Amino acid sequence: TKDRQGDVILEEAWSKGGLDNYLKNPIVLAYHNPEKPIGEVTDYGVNNKGLHVIAEISKAAGDVYDLIKQGVLKAFSVGFRVKDADYDTDTDIFVNFQL
C-alpha cells in the first residue's frame, strides 16, 4: 500500500536486511524524535501486507501512552534510507526493494 510519502516498501526490503540494524536496539520513538523514546519492539513479523510489530510502551511516555490506550494513536511510521527503488510514473509511487 502506498504511504503518505508515495512509497511502497516491498516485503523483501524488510526481510533482506532492512530491519537488521534496527533490531540491535529496537526502540520506539514518539514522532520520530530521538529525544522521546516511548517503548521497545518485543516481536515483529513481515508479510506481503507489510511490517507488523508488537511493542511495549512505557507508562512514562505520559500523553503518548494515554493516546495509544484511548485508540487515538493507532498506527506508526518508520524512518528509513532507501538503497534501491524504482519510480512508477503510472501510479506515482516509489517501490522500495532494499532499505
Side-chain angles (χ1 to χ4, degrees), residues 4-19:
R4 293 179 192 156
Q5 302 301 315
D7 290 311
V8 172
I9 303 172
L10 299 180
E11 178 179 358
E12 65 193 61
W14 296 117
S15 60
K16 290 185 178 179
L19 288 172

Side-chain angles (χ1 to χ4, degrees), residues 15-34:
S15 60
K16 290 185 178 179
L19 288 172
D20 292 347
N21 192 45
Y22 174 71
L23 292 174
K24 293 175 187 173
N25 187 29
I27 299 301
V28 177
L29 303 174
Y31 318 114
H32 293 274
N33 183 347

Side-chain angles (χ1 to χ4, degrees), residues 35-53:
E35 296 180 15
K36 192 152 174 96
I38 60 167
E40 180 177 17
V41 170
T42 58
D43 195 14
Y44 72 97
V46 177
N47 64 28
N48 64 352
K49 292 189 178 203
L51 172 66
H52 304 270
V53 300

Side-chain angles (χ1 to χ4, degrees), residues 28-81:
V28 177
L29 303 174
Y31 318 114
H32 293 274
N33 183 347
E35 296 180 15
K36 192 152 174 96
I38 60 167
E40 180 177 17
V41 170
T42 58
D43 195 14
Y44 72 97
V46 177
N47 64 28
N48 64 352
K49 292 189 178 203
L51 172 66
H52 304 270
V53 300
I54 295 174
E56 185 173 319
I57 304 301
S58 171
K59 289 181 182 177
D63 60 334
V64 175
Y65 178 85
D66 293 339
L67 291 169
I68 292 168
K69 283 298 203 181
Q70 293 169 12
V72 175
L73 295 177
K74 33 188 159 204
F76 70 96
S77 175
V78 296
F80 57 89
R81 288 192 175 103

Side-chain angles (χ1 to χ4, degrees), residues 62-99:
D63 60 334
V64 175
Y65 178 85
D66 293 339
L67 291 169
I68 292 168
K69 283 298 203 181
Q70 293 169 12
V72 175
L73 295 177
K74 33 188 159 204
F76 70 96
S77 175
V78 296
F80 57 89
R81 288 192 175 103
V82 177
K83 294 180 181 175
D84 184 21
D86 286 338
Y87 178 71
D88 184 332
T89 55
D90 293 333
T91 58
D92 190 32
I93 62 172
F94 284 96
V95 179
N96 297 290
F97 299 103
Q98 186 178 10
L99 304 176

